[in-house]
Amino acid sequence: MLDTLIAGLLRGNVYALGAVGISLVFGVMNVINFAQFSFFGLGAMLAWFFVAQLGLPFGLALPLVIVICAALGLVINLTVVRPLAQFLPLAAMLSTYAVSQILDNASQIAFTAEFRVFPQVLPTSNLHIGNMRFGTSDLVMLGVTAVVMVAIGAFLKYGKIGQAIRATAQDQEAALQMGIPVGLVQHVAFVIASALGGLAGVFIALYVGVANPTSGLNTGMTAFVAATLGGLGSLLGAVVGGFALGILEAFGIHFFGDSAREIITFAILILVLIVRPGGLLGKVPLISTEPLTGTFLGKGRPLQVPRWVWPVALVVGGIVIPLVAGDYVLTTGTQVLIYAIIAAGFTVTAGQAGVMALGQAGSIAIGAYASALLTLHSPISFWAAIPIAGLIAAIISSILASPIWGVKGHYISIATLGVGTVIVAVIRLAVPQGIYGIPMPSWGDTLLATPRAYYLIDFAVLVVTLLVMWRIRGSHLGKVISSVGSDEVAALASGVRVRDYKALAFAVSAFFAGVGGSLLAHQYTYIDPTIFTMLMSLLVVTIVIMGGVSLPYGAVVGAIILIGAMELLRFTPELRIIVYGLVLILVVRFRPGGILVRNS
Amino acid sequence: MKPFTTSARRLAALVLTAATLATAACSSSATAGGGSGTDPVYFGVSSATTGQYAQYGQQFKEAFDLAVEQVNANGGINGRPVALKYEDSQSDPKQSVTVAQKFVADKDVVLAFGDYSSAASIPASPIYTSGKLVQYGFNNSNPAFTEKGTEYQWSTSITTTANYQWTADYLKKQGVKSVGVTYLNTADWGIPAFQAFKAEAEKVGLTITDAEGVLDTSDDYRPSLTKAVAGKPEAFVHIGYGPDAAKLVTQLRAIGYQGTFYGGQDEKSFDGTPDAAGSIIAAQFIETSTDPKVKAFVDAFKQKYPNEQHVTLFEATAYDALNVAVAVAKQGGPTREGILKGFGEVKDVPSVIYGSITFDPATRRVQDPRLTPTILKDGKWVEYKTA
């Protein structure tokens, strides 16, 4: 037991360091910073480069890494995050994702994608308690963390800028009125966070022993959960959250196995959020509306699409493209259509109900598995399986997500991310083997497995999806859901059962996610849990943000751009992801409310 | 900010762009001919050059490029040079299916290599099959790739089943009575491998004291490892890849376990990990082998890429794969039909992994793959000879 406790303390130390940076940026900028994850990987690779390649002493390499990461953080905040955060926090969040893509891939080009052995700069197993061995390196890490935390704590309490950071975190408007240079404060916070990210990255590599440019993502995700657990914006909370998560995970893995790690992590998070909706030490958000989408609806106004566009789009998409396009374009088109279906259904949650749910991959996975298992083990045909898969996804997702609708503010996004991740993790435990030979669609005895047939089937489903979404928006129900999203307090005051309508909107989105999953499964004919990743969830969110968060047809445009771009950029394989990130930033910069929504 | 008419026009422009693209792609595939004379023979490569599996894509590419250079210097395929068309799939099924379609539509491509992971390869298989283009998954050790595939899926990779049956037998022969096991809890690789190991262990009477499923994305295995060695097994088996084995063996030693580690992979991060020394695995390819074919390949590789310290199984599989593809094209003819025919007929293709390769047409895998026990010494794998 002592062994497990020590293992938990050591991993908690790394989480705590990572979580502090995430919490700090969130506190003063209200932005969830995905770029922070990349600083973990970058810090590790830079340290590896300085020590293993250039032969610098570790004592020199560490400050170098911190300085480089800090400088890079300043550049990123100056050029990308802060300008966009002024428009919309949601746009800024998307841009930090783009920045992380650029950083990871630039680092990959510079250092190559290989896993590298991290040099043993300090002994790692020269001490022991019971059977558990640990080393000077672990003690140094714990010591450095303690010193850094105390230093930051003192800086925030007594330093002039530190006090300004706290004031800004508490109330940005009031801070501005008191004459606090909020811009400068935000830069400082971002720089400190980036430097901490680099430092944490070095420690992760030191602890783990190997590193590659993208190795920060997994620890980053856990650090993010730790920050949420402690209460976003609370630094002490981040430290407490980090250690608590580390220790609970260690015991969880001891009893349930490493495969259950993600379930444990997110189960802890969701439980804490239900009991304490603002995290362990955070403030409970006063407004229960999702702050990201809330601001969004106020700023964006749907674009009036002239009527002639609809028949033209229908003719081009449904007749011209299938007639003239080659198989490659049709297959790409199929991927675009499936994601458009998923994203269009998601607009009712993201746009209308005002909940930026992050775990759509979970619902997609349920749909895919339901459809695969039904068609393989029952007489149900492909055609019947599509809506049934949607229904099953809607039912299971709503039941699983039902406890989280009382969670408030940003925490709801993170809780839904947790639900999505847990769904996929549970599927991995229940059906660990991949499913093969999922039947292709057929009509009578005719197999409909050509790229053109897939395209046409998916196009028809998309048209139906858009019609349903259009009907929902126009109906009384849709108006009620919209009222929940645009002003939750007013909706509550008018007697609307806000939680129930949020749950209903989520169920509608899950239905279409399930339908999309079913279509994917029957096209791939093979599925396994590695297909339904967090990146899939992020893709759905980015598609919706790009197209205009409350417009179902905007999702189609978002899907064309985000999935089509990956194919169009094949002419520059090395720079593909970097160009993709830049395109994303430019679109967000010039259309921060989404392509089809005018910004004010 | 913008008047809405502009935006509407943009929407229309987008739709039109999509249509134009479609037409362009259509016409480009239509103009492609079968090719003859001195036109290059094209093989497609679907692999990850970016993203989390990019390390392997890069290793494949270096070996492919070397092999293409050598083949062309020796007269190519009946006088026609070989050329590769690379497409980055990130080993993501969303992209590997479109890449497959791109290769199928490109009439110049007579064979497609890849993809890296089974989760990306198997979803692309139906497209290759319906396009009558052979999908040569030279890295796909998941038995289902060929078992569930069609006559268009071939592989020179040894299956996980064969590999881990061998491991269980070998441990028994070494006199080991009990083992603690960790395995990657992944559908496409770790789980089938562990099941094969477990079944064989039961058959030969090797006790598994405890088996823990782990994830390669985890960084801290100590909680699992303390459990796995609690029953004091004589040896430890890890069924996984290089980077996770590197993390795992370091932590295994850190919790004080001293038994032999049967696991790891000939991969840079594992080879360079201090605690990995003394690990034993069943090797298909040994860089330090005295076989003249292997020596020639390793020398040529290091000459072309002076920065590379190691030549691993990943480079060897790609190098072999290209040579097999060339032999197949010579046998059946450099067309899609010829390639399919050639795979069924080709015999004794020289190989740096197996010595020589002959396919079993029933399994579409290599007949009698040879495995050699190897031990990691001073960062290099050498043949492990027991007295």
Side-chain angles (χ1 to χ4, degrees):
Chain A
M1 281 300 103
L2 190 62
D3 298 358
T4 314
L5 183 67
I6 294 170
L9 271 177
L10 294 179
R11 65 159 61 201
N13 177 50
V14 174
Y15 293 160
L17 259 184
V20 167
I22 291 168
S23 220
L24 191 63
V25 167
F26 182 85
V28 298
M29 299 186 75
N30 221 13
V31 168
I32 295 170
N33 180 19
F34 286 106
Q36 184 78 5
F37 299 2
S38 298
F39 278 103
F40 298 146
L42 190 65
M45 289 318 289
L46 284 170
W48 168 82
F49 180 71
F50 291 140
V51 176
Q53 294 296 102
L54 300 186
L56 299 181
F58 187 61
L60 183 62
L62 198 60
L64 264 178
V65 171
I66 292 175
V67 168
I68 293 174
C69 287
L72 205 55
L74 182 64
V75 172
I76 291 168
N77 198 38
L78 272 173
T79 54
V80 182
V81 182
R82 208 176 111 77
L84 292 175
Q86 286 168 332
F87 287 118
L88 292 166
L90 191 57
M93 182 181 95
L94 186 56
S95 74
T96 63
Y97 171 66
V99 168
S100 82
Q101 293 284 303
I102 294 174
L103 278 181
D104 281 357
N105 283 275
S107 166
Q108 190 173 300
I109 290 172
F111 300 115
T112 78
E114 277 164 26
F115 276 89
R116 308 286 186 164
V117 178
F118 200 78
Q120 274 201 358
V121 287
L122 295 165
T124 52
S125 56
N126 52 336
L127 311 165
H128 60 95
I129 296 177
N131 279 333
M132 180 74 196
R133 272 162 203 274
F134 57 98
T136 315
S137 120
D138 295 322
L139 292 183
V140 168
M141 267 169 19
L142 277 172
V144 171
T145 310
V147 170
V148 167
M149 297 301 164
V150 169
I152 290 182
F155 168 71
L156 289 177
K157 186 141 193 182
Y158 304 110
K160 218 165 161 145
I161 299 179
Q163 287 172 340
I165 287 179
R166 282 197 299 148
T168 310
Q170 206 161 45
D171 189 336
Q172 194 170 320
E173 287 294 309
L176 261 176
Q177 285 160 11
M178 294 296 290
I180 289 174
V182 168
L184 179 70
V185 166
Q186 291 180 333
H187 288 319
V188 171
F190 208 92
V191 165
I192 294 177
S194 306
L196 280 178
L199 181 69
V202 177
F203 282 174
I204 295 165
L206 201 60
Y207 179 55
V208 170
V210 293
N212 88 344
T214 54
S215 57
L217 182 69
N218 291 304
T219 326
M221 204 57 228
T222 320
F224 179 50
V225 172
T228 316
L229 194 63
L232 282 170
S234 158
L235 298 193
L236 183 61
V239 176
V240 172
F243 280 105
L245 196 61
I247 293 168
L248 288 173
E249 260 191 16
F251 280 101
I253 294 170
H254 182 81
F255 290 116
F256 304 110
D258 188 47
S259 317
R261 180 173 54 96
E262 283 170 325
I263 303 178
I264 297 162
T265 311
F266 283 102
I268 294 168
L269 176 74
I270 293 167
L271 279 178
V272 169
L273 288 183
I274 290 169
V275 180
R276 286 194 58 88
L280 291 171
L281 295 175
K283 293 175 295 186
V284 177
L286 293 174
I287 319 162
S288 56
T289 320
E290 160 75 59
L292 295 177
T293 49
T295 35
F296 214 102
L297 290 173
K299 289 208 180 176
R301 199 143 51 90
L303 175 83
Q304 291 300 316
V305 177
R307 279 167 179 272
W308 59 264
V309 170
W310 297 110
V312 170
L314 196 68
V315 168
V316 171
I319 299 171
V320 179
I321 291 180
L323 275 180
V324 301
D327 286 348
Y328 167 57
V329 172
L330 287 173
T331 304
T332 309
T334 307
Q335 306 293 309
V336 169
L337 290 169
I338 293 175
Y339 277 87
I341 292 164
I342 297 167
F346 186 55
T347 54
V348 67
T349 302
Q352 287 184 262
V355 178
M356 192 45 79
L358 283 175
Q360 287 305 96
S363 307
I364 301 173
I366 297 176
Y369 273 85
S371 197
L373 294 173
L374 280 175
T375 47
L376 279 172
H377 302 296
S378 82
I380 292 173
S381 73
F382 164 79
W383 306 100
I386 301 175
I388 296 176
L391 272 178
I392 294 177
I395 292 167
I396 297 182
S397 299
S398 330
I399 293 174
L400 288 176
S402 60
I404 65 177
W405 302 115
V407 175
K408 294 183 193 313
H410 279 289
Y411 296 98
I412 245 184
S413 307
I414 299 154
T416 48
L417 174 67
V419 171
T421 311
V422 167
I423 289 174
V424 178
V426 168
I427 290 177
R428 180 163 50 217
L429 282 181
V431 195
Q433 302 267 31
I435 298 181
Y436 302 90
I438 303 166
M440 298 173 181
S442 58
W443 191 259
D445 289 333
T446 325
L447 198 60
L448 300 174
T450 62
R452 186 161 289 120
Y454 280 123
Y455 179 93
L456 286 171
I457 293 169
D458 296 350
F459 187 81
V461 177
L462 176 65
V463 170
V464 173
T465 306
L466 290 177
L467 284 175
V468 170
M469 295 310 293
W470 177 66
R471 276 300 300 147
I472 291 181
R473 282 171 66 82
S475 69
H476 179 68
L477 173 71
K479 299 224 156 55
V480 176
I481 294 179
S482 287
S483 77
V484 169
S486 50
D487 193 337
E488 189 169 325
V489 180
L492 259 179
S494 329
V496 174
R497 286 155 64 177
V498 169
R499 285 184 61 154
D500 296 353
Y501 282 99
K502 280 186 182 172
L504 184 64
F506 189 72
V508 172
S509 294
F511 175 83
F512 288 106
V515 167
S518 162
L519 293 172
L520 275 183
H522 291 279
Q523 189 193 4
Y524 292 172
T525 71
Y526 167 83
I527 48 172
D528 76 38
T530 59
I531 294 174
F532 308 95
T533 57
M534 188 183 78
L535 292 179
M536 187 184 239
S537 296
L538 274 177
L539 181 62
V540 176
V541 171
T542 44
I543 286 173
V544 165
I545 295 175
M546 181 146 284
V549 76
S550 61
L551 297 175
Y553 53 85
V556 182
V557 177
I560 292 175
I561 294 175
L562 280 171
I563 294 170
M566 283 303 245
E567 291 301 316
L568 287 179
L569 291 171
R570 288 203 179 278
F571 70 91
T572 167
E574 280 82 25
L575 297 177
R576 195 157 73 113
I577 311 296
I578 291 179
V579 175
Y580 180 78
L582 287 176
V583 168
L584 213 58
I585 290 173
L586 285 178
V587 173
V588 174
R589 170 65 188 79
F590 291 105
R591 299 294 298 172
I595 299 272
L596 294 186
V597 176
R598 272 200 305 178
N599 52 349
S600 52
Chain B
M1 232 151 56
K2 299 268 189 298
F4 82 81
T5 42
T6 326
S7 305
R9 229 175 277 150
R10 262 191 226 156
L11 175 69
L14 251 173
V15 175
L16 281 177
T17 319
T20 324
L21 267 174
T23 333
C26 199
S27 55
S28 74
S29 63
T31 52
S36 61
T38 54
D39 293 344
V41 175
Y42 286 103
F43 299 141
V45 186
S46 169
S47 76
T49 52
T50 61
Q52 60 170 329
Y53 300 116
Q55 164 172 355
Y56 308 106
Q58 187 182 329
Q59 288 175 292
F60 295 152
K61 186 172 189 315
E62 286 179 347
F64 274 142
D65 289 350
L66 170 68
V68 166
E69 220 170 70
Q70 292 179 344
V71 166
N72 288 344
N74 291 326
I77 298 169
N78 308 329
R80 290 176 60 189
V82 173
L84 297 175
K85 294 194 177 187
Y86 284 98
E87 291 295 349
D88 178 17
S89 65
Q90 299 190 308
S91 219
D92 161 16
K94 184 159 78 287
Q95 297 185 58
S96 67
V97 294
T98 54
V99 166
Q101 204 70 67
K102 194 168 184 183
F103 285 149
V104 165
D106 184 345
K107 296 297 173 217
D108 287 342
V109 174
V110 296
L111 171 149
F113 292 108
D115 204 286
Y116 168 72
S117 77
S118 295
S121 307
I122 299 176
S125 295
I127 294 176
Y128 286 115
T129 297
S130 69
K132 298 194 181 345
L133 177 61
V134 167
Q135 179 189 18
Y136 182 4
F138 62 94
N139 183 60
N140 293 103
S141 52
N142 185 333
F145 173 72
T146 44
E147 265 171 33
K148 311 268 178 180
T150 65
E151 55 177 329
Y152 289 95
Q153 276 74 42
W154 293 76
S155 179
T156 35
S157 174
I158 187 170
T159 63
T160 45
T161 314
N163 196 340
Y164 284 94
Q165 274 173 357
W166 184 97
T167 307
D169 289 344
Y170 180 73
L171 281 159
K172 183 71 190 170
K173 260 187 270 165
Q174 293 297 101
V176 175
K177 289 187 192 65
S178 63
V179 289
V181 180
T182 49
Y183 62 94
L184 291 188
N185 203 25
T186 52
D188 65 333
W189 196 86
I191 293 168
F194 172 63
Q195 284 172 344
F197 178 80
K198 192 175 159 211
E200 188 69 10
E202 273 163 18
K203 213 171 96 189
V204 299
L206 176 71
T207 313
I208 297 175
T209 58
D210 181 49
E212 295 288 315
V214 297
L215 297 176
D216 54 350
T217 50
S218 295
D219 285 332
D220 194 343
Y221 298 106
R222 290 178 221 218
S224 301
L225 290 173
T226 45
K227 253 179 106 179
V229 299
K232 303 206 177 354
E234 282 175 39
F236 196 91
V237 177
H238 174 60
I239 300 174
Y241 306 131
D244 46 274
K247 294 182 263 185
L248 194 133
V249 72
T250 309
Q251 292 166 17
L252 185 70
R253 297 313 180 203
I255 63 164
Y257 182 77
Q258 303 298 340
T260 310
F261 184 76
Y262 291 87
Q265 200 176 23
D266 184 8
E267 182 269 350
K268 281 169 205 175
S269 70
F270 188 79
D271 296 352
T273 295
D275 281 325
S279 301
I280 296 172
I281 55 171
Q284 301 152 61
F285 170 77
I286 310 170
E287 182 189 358
T288 50
S289 160
T290 50
D291 182 326
K293 276 198 295 283
V294 176
K295 254 183 91 59
F297 162 59
V298 170
D299 290 345
F301 191 88
K302 287 189 174 164
Q303 201 185 347
K304 185 166 161 73
Y305 305 103
N307 289 331
E308 295 291 353
Q309 313 263 320
H310 284 301
V311 186
T312 70
L313 176 66
F314 289 103
E315 286 90 358
T317 53
Y319 182 80
D320 260 4
L322 197 108
N323 286 317
V324 167
V326 167
V328 161
K330 282 182 179 166
Q331 174 79 28
T335 60
R336 289 187 183 180
E337 304 74 46
I339 296 281
L340 182 65
K341 189 162 148 276
F343 263 105
E345 294 174 355
V346 82
K347 279 198 172 51
D348 302 322
V349 184
S351 153
V352 296
I353 299 177
Y354 302 109
S356 81
I357 289 173
T358 301
F359 285 96
D360 177 345
T363 59
R364 287 173 266 105
R365 298 260 178 186
V366 179
Q367 269 180 5
D368 309 319
R370 137 191 116 177
L371 285 168
T372 316
T374 52
I375 184 164
L376 185 63
K377 272 190 182 155
D378 305 322
K380 283 191 173 172
W381 293 93
V382 292
E383 193 172 339
Y384 182 57
K385 294 191 180 95
T386 42

